[in-house]
Amino acid sequence: MPSGPEPPVTLDPTAGLIVAMSDPDADAHILADVFPSDPGSEWRFTGLHPKFRLDVQHASPLYFYLHFSNLDEMMRARGPVTFAIAIDGKRLQAPTFKVSGDLEYRWPVADGWVPNRGSVEISIDISPPWIPPDGTPRGTFLNAIGFEER
């Protein structure tokens, strides 16, 4: 194996359905409230109201997909965390996560919520906040967000 860092992982780049925080163009999909990180970093902290834009090329039956980490430190400080998820302003779901660790979440998206072609906005309202020692409220530690085909 060659030495050096692992290459960034891009999940299904041809579909345009998922943005991984390690994608070279991840910043182009972030509209608000995601903290900067080193290029190629697989994880990024969010604020309490992160927003994303995905350019979808086709819409088949889809799942909303979220890969994040509830760090032990976050769970000890704030307890369970709720993500109120919206797709183009339509409320999808508001799951509460009561465990720490590396987590994936999937939920079926109603037919017609994602256009066959075009931009889709995903927003999440996260509560309660995690307040780290620097005092800046944080929402979650994000790896990837978007859609998967059902």
Side-chain angles (χ1 to χ4, degrees):
M1 295 296 293
S3 62
E6 291 289 319
V9 175
T10 301
L11 304 173
D12 199 10
T14 58
L17 295 176
I18 293 178
V19 60
M21 295 299 98
S22 61
D23 287 348
D25 67 341
D27 286 342
H29 299 281
I30 296 169
L31 299 177
D33 218 8
V34 177
F35 292 89
S37 69
D38 295 331
S41 180
E42 292 185 34
W43 299 88
R44 292 174 73 167
F45 280 108
T46 73
L48 301 177
H49 309 286
K51 291 184 182 180
F52 306 87
R53 177 175 295 129
L54 296 169
D55 295 315
V56 178
Q57 300 305 313
H58 67 283
S60 55
L62 299 172
Y63 288 107
F64 170 75
Y65 174 79
L66 183 64
H67 181 194
F68 67 102
S69 183
N70 259 346
L71 303 173
D72 290 337
E73 181 179 355
M74 296 168 95
M75 288 299 293
R76 279 193 304 273
R78 71 176 170 193
V81 61
T82 299
F83 293 1
I85 302 162
I87 298 170
D88 280 341
K90 298 177 210 97
R91 289 287 175 188
L92 176 67
Q93 183 77 355
T96 298
F97 301 94
K98 299 177 181 180
V99 298
S100 60
D102 188 5
L103 304 171
E104 290 184 308
Y105 174 77
R106 289 171 181 83
W107 190 262
V109 176
D111 290 342
W113 278 27
V114 176
N116 287 336
R117 290 187 169 276
S119 294
V120 177
E121 185 176 300
I122 300 170
S123 61
I124 305 174
D125 293 322
I126 303 168
S127 64
W130 172 55
I131 311 296
D134 73 1
T136 304
R138 306 249 167 99
T140 194
F141 200 39
L142 183 64
N143 176 268
I145 188 168
F147 304 101
E148 287 183 335
E149 292 184 9
R150 283 196 258 166

